[in-house]
Amino acid sequence: MNSKQICFLSQVKVLYFARSADLTGLREEPVSVATPISGRGLWVELQRRHPSLSALQGALVLAVRQEFVAVDDDQPLLLGDGDEVAVVPPLSGG
Amino acid sequence: MNSKQICFLSQVKVLYFARSADLTGLREEPVSVATPISGRGLWVELQRRHPSLSALQGALVLAVRQEFVAVDDDQPLLLGDGDEVAVVPPLSGG
Amino acid sequence: MEPPDWPERRDVFKLCSDALSLQEVVEAARSPKCGAVSVFLGTTREDVVNGRKVIGLEYQAYESMVQSELSKLSRVIRERWPHVMHICLHHRLGWVSVGEASVIVAVSAPHRRDSEEAVQFCVTQLKALVPIWKKEVFEGGQCRWNENSE
Amino acid sequence: MEPPDWPERRDVFKLCSDALSLQEVVEAARSPKCGAVSVFLGTTREDVVNGRKVIGLEYQAYESMVQSELSKLSRVIRERWPHVMHICLHHRLGWVSVGEASVIVAVSAPHRRDSEEAVQFCVTQLKALVPIWKKEVFEGGQCRWNENSE
């Protein structure tokens, strides 16, 4: 790691819904991520842990602390321990 | 009466609703009219019987056999005994 | 999408002097073929006109013509929205206290755009064309025939 | 017409695993200040997909985010339709058989244009933004996650 970069490791709670829960076999899991991290960075990390999730590529967003974040968003997000990150496949409520 | 004109006398049933019932003090009455008669002719005849009805002038239509007819309509209508003619003040259903 | 051929399509129109039942109107409109039921419920509003408080409404109708106008209206709706399944409309007659429902309309369709548009159109046309009148009755007993402004 | 200042405005949002009550939703939305309640009832449609018959739906939600998205949605509705009084939305979770209601939304306002537009907007935004998912369950037990097409 480059010594000029300062980053922190936070343990976030990742929630899987609908097809993403089927693909990972999980409803939720704790995940350690280097923060700040972007939506894109989170999605790369989640796919690394669960390669099956790439089946959803192009058809999902994330929710970070209950706010939607695109999986190609490069805005850095500062995450704290216990923050919720959700995988949000296409919605079908109503 | 001009001998070339042929007309018949029919006894129609006139129905009064809403404000027209208040103005005439009637819910219905039998009225003899020379037929064929237009919407305009019917309205003239009804006002002759009940001058108070002219308070509704400009804000009502008639219904002849349950079809709306304007009070300035000159189309002749052939009425038979027992046909319904209704005085229809501005609607306020709903 | 081809308009479906549904022999079971229902029109249910009722004038009632008792309280309207929302459940009854919606049940009459529901169908297992439909994903959407749109409903309008019109109620008597608390109102003050020129300082006088409205305590209720008194409805009157030309009943036989109400039925014929509603049948015509149903034909127009089914022509414009051929996917509409059932149409149910109940309207109060006589005395209606403030807060009570005076009309309930429910329309079902497979998809909600049709039921939404049809129920709105139905209420608009009801107010414009169906021979029903209401009188506002004020505290103290005075009253005044109303006029739909739409 | 000046938007009124109504301290009693209510938002009632509920996720339920039992059958929805139309009466409860509409009662929560009614107000003596309002002449109009517009209601949408979404039901599970009898459906056949690729020759397989749908017997029901299984709903799942990100419950805490549903609440926060619905609160945001209410703020947007009240900004666009300042005359809207109450907003009530109940949504089923878990198993819903064909023919049962999965969602009921009711909105009240003094006049019907506001309640009609607001209820439609509410359902559109619910489908687009509120984290709820449904799985179609077919005869024989296969199933498939659904996707709102609007």
Side-chain angles (χ1 to χ4, degrees):
Chain A
M1 193 191 284
N2 181 322
S3 63
K4 301 260 178 57
Q5 278 188 312
I6 301 173
C7 70
F8 302 91
L9 224 53
S10 288
Q11 194 176 65
V12 299
K13 185 164 89 172
V14 177
L15 307 173
Y16 298 101
F17 291 100
R19 202 163 155 226
S20 69
D22 294 349
L23 290 167
T24 60
L26 295 168
R27 293 296 295 264
E28 74 174 72
E29 67 175 335
V31 172
S32 290
V33 293
T35 172
I37 189 169
S38 66
R40 189 191 298 276
L42 278 166
W43 177 230
V44 166
E45 172 60 19
L46 293 173
Q47 280 179 291
R48 198 190 55 74
R49 298 175 73 92
H50 304 285
S52 59
L53 281 176
S54 52
L56 289 170
Q57 181 74 49
L60 91 162
V61 294
L62 302 175
V64 175
R65 288 183 297 253
Q66 304 185 7
E67 298 286 341
F68 292 118
V69 175
V71 296
D72 61 359
D73 191 325
D74 290 316
Q75 181 90 20
L77 300 163
L78 207 61
L79 301 184
D81 286 337
D83 277 356
E84 280 183 9
V85 172
V87 175
V88 179
L91 303 177
S92 49
Chain B
M1 189 192 283
N2 183 324
S3 63
K4 301 258 176 58
Q5 277 187 314
I6 300 174
C7 70
F8 302 92
L9 223 54
S10 289
Q11 194 175 65
V12 300
K13 185 164 86 172
V14 177
L15 308 172
Y16 298 101
F17 292 101
R19 204 166 154 227
S20 69
D22 294 350
L23 291 168
T24 60
L26 295 169
R27 293 297 294 265
E28 75 175 71
E29 65 175 337
V31 172
S32 289
V33 294
T35 172
I37 189 169
S38 65
R40 188 191 298 274
L42 279 167
W43 179 229
V44 166
E45 171 60 19
L46 294 173
Q47 280 179 292
R48 198 188 56 74
R49 298 176 74 91
H50 303 284
S52 59
L53 282 175
S54 52
L56 289 170
Q57 180 74 47
L60 91 163
V61 294
L62 302 175
V64 175
R65 288 183 299 251
Q66 304 184 6
E67 299 286 341
F68 292 118
V69 175
V71 295
D72 60 359
D73 192 326
D74 290 317
Q75 180 89 22
L77 300 163
L78 207 60
L79 301 184
D81 284 337
D83 277 356
E84 280 184 8
V85 172
V87 175
V88 178
L91 303 177
S92 49
Chain C
M1 194 164 51
E2 191 71 3
D5 172 31
W6 284 326
E8 71 270 40
R9 281 185 167 125
R10 271 196 302 269
D11 288 344
V12 181
F13 304 134
K14 202 166 113 181
L15 293 169
C16 349
S17 43
D18 300 319
L20 301 182
S21 162
L22 175 65
Q23 205 64 42
E24 191 186 330
V25 175
V26 172
E27 282 311 315
R30 278 176 73 156
S31 157
K33 296 212 173 75
C34 289
V37 185
S38 291
V39 185
F40 174 76
L41 191 132
T43 58
T44 311
R45 206 166 55 231
E46 261 178 16
D47 217 347
V48 176
V49 180
N50 300 329
R52 293 178 306 172
K53 195 172 163 189
V54 176
I55 57 169
L57 299 172
E58 179 80 31
Y59 279 91
Q60 193 180 85
Y62 182 5
E63 300 196 30
S64 55
M65 188 171 168
V66 168
Q67 293 293 339
S68 63
E69 283 298 312
L70 289 176
S71 300
K72 281 188 216 167
L73 176 51
S74 157
R75 287 196 294 276
V76 174
I77 290 173
R78 294 182 180 292
E79 202 163 295
R80 286 178 66 160
W81 293 278
H83 290 90
V84 158
M85 175 69 90
H86 304 309
I87 304 171
C88 182
L89 186 156
H90 288 194
H91 198 297
R92 279 291 284 281
L93 287 188
W95 175 254
V96 181
S97 301
V98 160
E100 293 188 338
S102 54
V103 63
I104 305 179
V105 187
V107 174
S108 59
H111 301 285
R112 72 189 175 91
R113 291 294 170 212
D114 293 310
S115 61
E116 285 168 351
E117 290 176 15
V119 86
Q120 287 177 21
F121 179 80
C122 188
V123 178
T124 303
Q125 298 302 93
L126 165 72
K127 288 174 180 260
L129 294 176
V130 177
I132 300 176
W133 299 267
K134 63 170 162 262
K135 194 159 69 175
E136 290 173 325
V137 181
F138 299 95
E139 230 168 25
Q142 302 115 306
C143 54
R144 189 185 69 168
W145 287 103
N146 214 310
E147 185 168 342
N148 283 334
S149 52
E150 300 187 16
Chain D
M1 196 165 44
E2 192 71 3
D5 172 32
W6 284 324
E8 71 269 40
R9 282 188 165 119
R10 273 195 301 269
D11 288 343
V12 181
F13 303 134
K14 201 166 114 182
L15 294 168
C16 348
S17 43
D18 299 319
L20 301 182
S21 162
L22 174 64
Q23 205 64 41
E24 191 185 330
V25 175
V26 172
E27 282 311 313
R30 277 174 76 155
S31 158
K33 295 212 174 75
C34 289
V37 186
S38 291
V39 186
F40 174 76
L41 191 132
T43 58
T44 312
R45 206 168 49 232
E46 262 177 17
D47 217 349
V48 176
V49 180
N50 301 328
R52 294 179 305 174
K53 195 173 161 186
V54 176
I55 57 169
L57 298 172
E58 179 79 31
Y59 279 90
Q60 194 180 83
Y62 182 6
E63 300 195 28
S64 55
M65 188 170 169
V66 167
Q67 293 292 339
S68 62
E69 284 297 314
L70 288 177
S71 300
K72 280 187 218 167
L73 176 51
S74 157
R75 285 196 295 277
V76 174
I77 290 172
R78 293 181 182 291
E79 204 162 294
R80 286 179 64 162
W81 292 278
H83 290 90
V84 159
M85 174 69 90
H86 304 309
I87 304 172
C88 181
L89 185 156
H90 287 194
H91 199 296
R92 279 291 284 279
L93 287 187
W95 175 255
V96 181
S97 302
V98 161
E100 293 187 339
S102 55
V103 64
I104 305 178
V105 187
V107 174
S108 59
H111 300 284
R112 72 191 178 92
R113 290 294 170 212
D114 293 309
S115 61
E116 285 169 352
E117 290 176 16
V119 86
Q120 288 178 19
F121 180 80
C122 188
V123 178
T124 303
Q125 298 302 93
L126 165 73
K127 288 175 180 257
L129 293 176
V130 178
I132 301 177
W133 298 267
K134 63 171 161 261
K135 196 159 69 173
E136 289 174 324
V137 181
F138 299 95
E139 228 168 28
Q142 302 117 306
C143 54
R144 188 185 70 166
W145 287 102
N146 213 308
E147 186 169 338
N148 283 336
S149 51
E150 302 187 14

